[in-house]
Amino acid sequence: MNLKKISLVLVFFLAFFLVGCTQKASDPKVDNWDKYQQQGSITIGFDNTFVPMGFEEKNGQYVGFDIDLAQAVSEKLGFKVQFQPIDWDMKETELQNGTIDAIWNGYSATDERREKVAFTIPYMENQQVLVSKKSQNIQSVSDMKNKILGAQAGSSGYLDFEAQPELLKNIVKDQRLISIKVLMKP
């Protein structure tokens, strides 16, 4: 795909993103596109611990795939973008309260979330996977028997773990997750 096509896709994506994922008036169907055009700026909420998608480096700079993509699209549209780290457990509340204008992060579109916010056409597809040290030799879900499992609180993986216990919850140690959020606190 050449640069011109990529630029067109990015502009198209952001246009739909801004229209579809804004809720300044606590209504997921409110279209604030005109307001953003007049302002020339948008505040994007993201989880600043979500490596490699969006995170804060030691020097305080925000980096990652979603940060780079949002900046590229915003530049094409002539928007200034302000990145606002948010508490991931409160993402929909932040959006509804107007603290942020949009969520641009690894935010899976689920039926429950669609009731709260509007989504654009996805710009990437992902799957929930288990990641472990190679030395653990985890080849299948059954290999997780009596293992300790961590997941980000409020993430799709966390929600799937709780909602579908037959997939994994019933075999891991103590039938519970350790919240990654708790593990990451200093």
Side-chain angles (χ1 to χ4, degrees):
M1 194 182 286
N2 65 32
L3 187 57
K4 199 177 221 181
K5 286 182 182 177
I6 291 172
S7 297
L8 183 60
V9 168
L10 292 177
V11 169
F12 178 74
F13 171 75
L14 186 60
F16 273 101
F17 180 78
L18 293 176
V19 171
C21 202
T22 58
Q23 303 192 38
K24 206 68 162 177
S26 297
D27 180 352
K29 304 302 179 204
V30 170
D31 180 351
N32 288 315
W33 177 249
D34 290 338
K35 183 184 89 168
Y36 301 134
Q37 285 184 311
Q38 287 176 348
Q39 287 177 182
S41 67
I42 185 169
T43 301
I44 295 176
F46 77 106
D47 176 357
N48 66 342
T49 64
F50 191 40
V51 178
M53 304 309 285
F55 59 100
E56 187 172 353
E57 290 190 318
K58 289 180 183 178
N59 66 4
Q61 182 179 357
Y62 302 135
V63 296
F65 177 81
D66 284 332
I67 301 298
D68 292 345
L69 183 58
Q71 286 177 328
V73 171
S74 297
E75 285 174 19
K76 290 286 182 190
L77 293 174
F79 280 80
K80 290 182 183 174
V81 64
Q82 177 182 346
F83 292 99
Q84 176 66 46
I86 58 173
D87 179 343
W88 195 245
D89 290 340
M90 300 296 292
K91 58 194 161 294
E92 290 91 359
T93 302
E94 299 267 12
L95 194 58
Q96 290 170 348
N97 290 343
T99 308
I100 58 175
D101 300 314
I103 297 171
W104 195 314
N105 223 160
Y107 184 45
S108 301
T110 64
D111 291 339
E112 180 182 349
R113 289 175 174 169
R114 282 187 183 97
E115 292 176 15
K116 297 176 184 176
V117 300
F119 286 89
T120 64
I121 299 167
Y123 60 93
M124 69 182 292
E125 292 184 27
N126 62 9
Q127 297 177 347
Q128 299 299 317
V129 297
L130 294 173
V131 178
S132 67
K133 290 182 179 178
K134 195 171 192 167
S135 62
Q136 292 293 310
N137 200 28
I138 305 293
Q139 302 295 319
S140 68
V141 172
S142 62
D143 293 333
M144 289 298 296
K145 185 171 178 72
N146 294 320
K147 301 286 186 188
I148 297 171
L149 182 64
Q152 181 185 31
S155 69
S156 295
Y158 189 95
L159 297 174
D160 286 348
F161 178 84
E162 292 295 335
Q164 301 174 36
E166 70 282 359
L167 294 180
L168 187 59
K169 186 175 183 176
N170 292 343
I171 65 170
V172 298
K173 187 174 184 176
D174 300 327
Q175 297 184 338
R176 66 182 185 93
L177 283 173
I178 295 175
S179 173
I180 297 296
K181 189 174 184 180
V182 171
L183 295 176
M184 294 176 70
K185 288 188 178 177

